[in-house]
Amino acid sequence: MSHSIRHKAEALLRDDYPLEDLVKDKDLPKILHELRVHQIELELQNEELIRTQQELATAQKKYFDLYNFAPVGYFTLDRSGVILDLNLIGAEILGREKGRLVNKPMLPHLSPEARPVFFHHLDVVYDTETRQSCELSFKNLTGAKTYFLAESVVAQDSNGQSVCRMVMTDITWRKEAEKALRKGEERFRIALLNSPVFVTEQDQNLRYIWIHNSHRTFSTSDVIGKTDAVLFSDADATMLTNLKRQALETGQMVHREIKVTLNNEPRYYDLTIEPAYDGLGHQLSGVLCAYVDITHVKEVEDALRTSAEELKRSNAELEQFAYVASHDLQEPLRMISGYVQLLERRYKGQLDPDADEFIFYAVDGAKRMQSLIHDLLALSRIGRRERVVSEVNFNQLIEQVLINLQVTIEQSQAAVTYDPLPTLMVDPTQLTQLFQNLIGNAIKFCSDRLPEVYISARQQADHWLFSVRDNGIGIPPAQQDRIFMIFQRLHGRGEYPGTGIGLAICKKIVERHGGTIWVESQADQGSVFYFTIPQ
Ligand code: ADP
């Protein structure tokens, strides 16, 4: 295409080529062709423009959606923290309508502790013109706190002004999780601090990777990276390593009481070894051990055991002494009482009245001494003799007791009744004595009514509960514990005879059979003596 033809076509389009000249122009067809080409070019350009406009509209829509609905807050801020623009999520974060936030400061929405952080962040972003991030917290309308990660850059706005573009991502859940984790860790730390537990973690080769610091036996630097072989004696280390290997090999918890020597002193621990797993919980990574120091408990236990043994020994000694003393006293006493009774028989009424009185007291004293020694001997025999148990039918046993007490029963006109009783494995001699004492007392401590005694037995969870009920003088509640002690009597001998040993014997017999004895009573209302015999 020659230059002049394009030139003429352009002139024509500019209305600069008069029509009368054009029609005369020999290049007319070429000029018209040029005009057609030009028109096609224009149409193409037009289509391009429309497409670009459509693309722009689509991009704008995308941008709008992204800007407003991406789950992040977009803010444009000036250096003083005034919000120049924000997206809908940004408005949601601040809990206000967008229209009420534009051109207003961000400050009032921030929690007090986030305010200095925010302004410092803006300063650094503007000063360095580099991308910066910080964590900000907001108080929402319900008063709950929300946390955001703010990431900012400096950009130019359409007027060429520097503005801060800030993206805010909600990290509240992460913060809450961190808080919960910190709280859990804090609780764990405090619990450990105040507990006598020493906690350690060892890897698969049983090298220490962590110890709970408050324990003073080892410091962290003593222990980390080392094995039990470096810390304990050979024997202790072998014992500990074997237990820990067992936990590693079986994947099962191991729990033992152990004794180790530390600083030349024996120490006892209640040791729990738990297999430890990697973060995902799949792979065995070592062992976690909790050592509870029970040295003190062991010492107390030892002291208790020693003193219990001591007590048992001295008790046995005392019993032996009581037995020997009462046994050996019997002989001279028999002599004394034999001879004073002889004196009484031969010389009563032959000397002066004073002598008769003296002899009476001597005979009475000797008799009392005899029954005392008899009862003491009975008491000390219970502890000395091995219990010989056999199957005892209690109905027959009571029959025997009633025969033993026949004279007393007849003299007092007592009515003794009993329910059908069980058959149990007991020491028959001791149980006979027990019932004899209780029924004897029930008859002895009677009021002005004729004595009525009733014996019964009831089966309970793992024992039989026996009761001996009377209609006698009763026992005031305040005295009810005392009467089971040796020599404790509630009456003078003038009122009711006795040595004060009978119930002590009963208590000893019941306890030797693994049971307990007690009384329920009120003064003047009769008494019920209860005792249990395990099955
Ligand atoms: P003793 O019968 O030789 O006095 P016990 O040890 O048998 O000694 O009894 C201690 C005391 O308990 C008695 O002195 C009496 O005061 C009281 N006691 C025992 N049994 C009865 C009972 N069935 N009724 C009222 N008091 C009783």
Side-chain angles (χ1 to χ4, degrees):
M1 185 69 54
S2 79
H3 178 71
S4 67
I5 289 173
R6 164 143 320 160
H7 203 75
K8 284 177 193 164
E10 283 172 4
L12 192 64
L13 285 172
R14 283 199 311 272
D15 251 358
D16 229 6
Y17 195 15
L19 269 180
E20 50 273 33
D21 295 346
L22 178 68
V23 292
K24 284 184 227 147
D25 197 323
K26 61 177 183 346
D27 289 330
L28 180 62
K30 287 181 182 165
I31 293 168
L32 287 177
H33 176 75
E34 180 64 24
L35 278 177
R36 179 81 188 116
V37 169
H38 181 72
Q39 188 192 0
I40 290 168
E41 272 176 10
L42 272 180
E43 277 167 7
L44 281 176
Q45 273 175 16
N46 204 21
E47 270 173 30
E48 182 80 18
L49 198 70
I50 288 167
R51 215 175 30 250
T52 311
Q53 266 173 351
Q54 276 170 350
E55 275 170 10
L56 195 68
T58 313
Q60 245 174 356
K61 170 89 172 70
K62 259 193 210 156
Y63 164 76
F64 180 84
D65 288 349
L66 198 65
Y67 182 71
N68 279 309
F69 303 119
V72 285
Y74 289 112
F75 292 86
T76 304
L77 300 155
D78 72 8
R79 189 166 185 146
S80 64
V82 168
I83 303 166
L84 303 173
D85 187 29
L86 76 168
N87 69 346
L88 294 178
I89 299 288
E92 216 171 82
I93 292 171
L94 303 189
R96 301 273 190 291
E97 277 169 33
K98 182 174 168 176
R100 295 172 61 184
L101 291 163
V102 176
N103 292 327
K104 302 272 166 47
M106 176 78 104
L107 179 83
H109 307 287
L110 290 162
S111 67
E113 63 273 20
R115 289 170 189 175
V117 179
F118 172 73
F119 287 112
H120 176 73
H121 172 79
L122 275 188
D123 284 347
V124 178
V125 172
Y126 272 100
D127 289 347
T128 62
E129 296 202 344
T130 54
R131 183 193 166 110
Q132 297 290 326
S133 63
C134 69
E135 286 181 10
L136 298 176
S137 54
F138 297 85
K139 272 237 149 74
N140 68 18
L141 290 182
T142 64
K145 240 186 197 176
T146 48
Y147 294 87
F148 290 86
L149 175 71
E151 293 178 289
S152 307
V153 287
V154 169
Q156 308 294 312
D157 71 359
S158 48
N159 306 323
Q161 288 284 330
S162 285
V163 290
C164 168
R165 303 241 192 249
M166 183 182 275
V167 180
M168 276 201 226
T169 316
D170 193 341
I171 52 165
T172 308
W173 67 269
R174 199 183 83 195
K175 279 285 178 194
E176 297 296 338
E178 276 173 11
K179 235 193 324 208
L181 194 71
R182 263 204 307 279
K183 188 141 190 122
E185 273 176 0
E186 183 65 5
R187 281 197 190 122
F188 179 63
R189 198 182 63 80
I190 289 170
L192 271 188
L193 259 187
N194 298 319
S195 78
V197 190
F198 167 39
V199 188
T200 65
E201 186 174 357
Q202 284 161 278
D203 65 14
Q204 271 179 318
N205 300 318
L206 296 179
R207 289 187 186 285
Y208 283 92
I209 49 180
W210 175 75
I211 67 161
H212 159 48
N213 263 333
S214 77
H215 190 74
R216 279 166 219 100
T217 309
F218 303 120
S219 74
T220 310
S221 55
D222 281 343
V223 172
I224 300 302
K226 300 190 179 145
T227 65
D228 286 327
V230 188
L231 304 169
F232 295 95
S233 73
D234 288 352
D236 290 347
T238 308
M239 177 267 296
L240 285 168
T241 306
N242 285 342
L243 290 177
K244 290 170 187 176
R245 286 227 178 94
Q246 187 187 329
L248 268 180
E249 280 158 19
T250 60
Q252 302 282 325
M253 186 252 268
V254 175
H255 185 198
R256 273 312 130 75
E257 246 180 42
I258 58 158
K259 180 187 174 196
V260 292
T261 307
L262 288 174
N263 303 327
N264 296 323
E265 276 180 29
R267 297 211 70 87
Y268 295 87
Y269 291 96
D270 180 289
L271 169 63
T272 307
I273 309 169
E274 284 274 5
Y277 290 86
D278 64 7
L280 295 172
H282 301 319
Q283 202 71 40
L284 251 175
S285 63
V287 287
L288 272 167
C289 298
Y291 299 74
V292 181
D293 194 332
I294 52 166
T295 310
H296 186 60
V297 179
K298 279 279 168 197
E299 281 167 0
V300 172
E301 260 179 23
D302 280 352
L304 264 173
R305 197 176 306 115
T306 314
S307 68
E309 276 162 12
E310 188 80 354
L311 245 158
K312 211 167 148 191
R313 201 178 46 73
S314 78
N315 234 350
E317 259 177 35
L318 263 170
E319 259 167 16
Q320 176 72 2
F321 170 77
Y323 178 75
V324 171
S326 41
H327 186 265
D328 291 3
L329 278 174
Q330 263 186 327
E331 185 49 35
L333 187 61
R334 218 172 280 138
M335 288 262 281
I336 296 172
S337 97
Y339 280 101
V340 289
Q341 281 173 31
L342 199 64
L343 264 178
E344 187 185 36
R345 278 203 300 278
R346 265 205 210 161
Y347 298 103
K348 193 167 174 203
Q350 297 184 32
L351 304 171
D352 63 37
D354 276 355
D356 279 354
E357 198 182 329
F358 297 161
I359 291 172
F360 168 79
Y361 284 126
V363 171
D364 184 53
K367 278 187 190 153
R368 259 176 38 220
M369 179 83 96
Q370 262 181 326
S371 52
L372 249 175
I373 295 223
H374 170 270
D375 285 357
L376 266 177
L377 209 56
L379 180 68
S380 55
R381 273 206 189 104
I382 299 165
R384 281 170 56 81
R385 253 178 36 140
E386 273 302 304
R387 227 163 26 104
V388 191
V389 294
S390 57
E391 209 174 64
V392 173
N393 179 329
F394 276 63
N395 298 297
Q396 289 166 8
L397 186 131
I398 296 289
E399 284 298 329
Q400 184 56 50
V401 171
L402 297 186
I403 291 169
N404 297 352
L405 291 173
Q406 198 174 1
V407 178
T408 318
I409 293 173
E410 275 169 11
Q411 280 174 356
S412 61
Q413 298 180 44
V416 184
T417 52
Y418 57 96
D419 279 348
L421 299 171
T423 296
L424 297 171
M425 293 296 288
V426 291
D427 181 325
T429 318
Q430 291 187 356
L431 265 285
T432 305
Q433 193 165 12
L434 169 66
F435 275 107
Q436 206 158 304
N437 287 0
L438 292 179
I439 298 170
N441 278 352
I443 296 172
K444 180 166 61 172
F445 295 101
C446 67
S447 55
D448 40 15
R449 292 181 292 265
L450 287 181
E452 285 172 15
V453 187
Y454 166 65
I455 302 142
S456 73
R458 214 169 49 230
Q459 189 169 19
Q460 296 193 324
D462 54 355
H463 59 259
W464 278 84
L465 175 68
F466 289 86
S467 63
V468 179
R469 177 188 300 273
D470 66 48
N471 61 343
I473 56 170
I475 303 159
Q479 311 292 345
Q480 288 172 3
D481 286 339
R482 202 158 77 83
I483 56 172
F484 293 97
M485 291 183 217
I486 189 165
F487 301 137
Q488 296 293 327
R489 312 192 69 238
L490 305 181
H491 308 278
R493 262 184 313 103
E495 280 179 278
Y496 299 96
T499 57
I501 301 175
L503 285 181
I505 291 177
C506 293
K507 185 166 151 66
K508 202 157 186 184
I509 292 173
V510 171
E511 284 174 358
R512 294 259 305 171
H513 280 79
T516 46
I517 184 167
W518 71 97
V519 65
E520 284 176 13
S521 176
Q522 295 289 336
D524 299 326
Q525 307 214 347
S527 312
V528 192
F529 281 81
Y530 291 99
F531 66 89
T532 59
I533 298 288
Q535 263 176 343

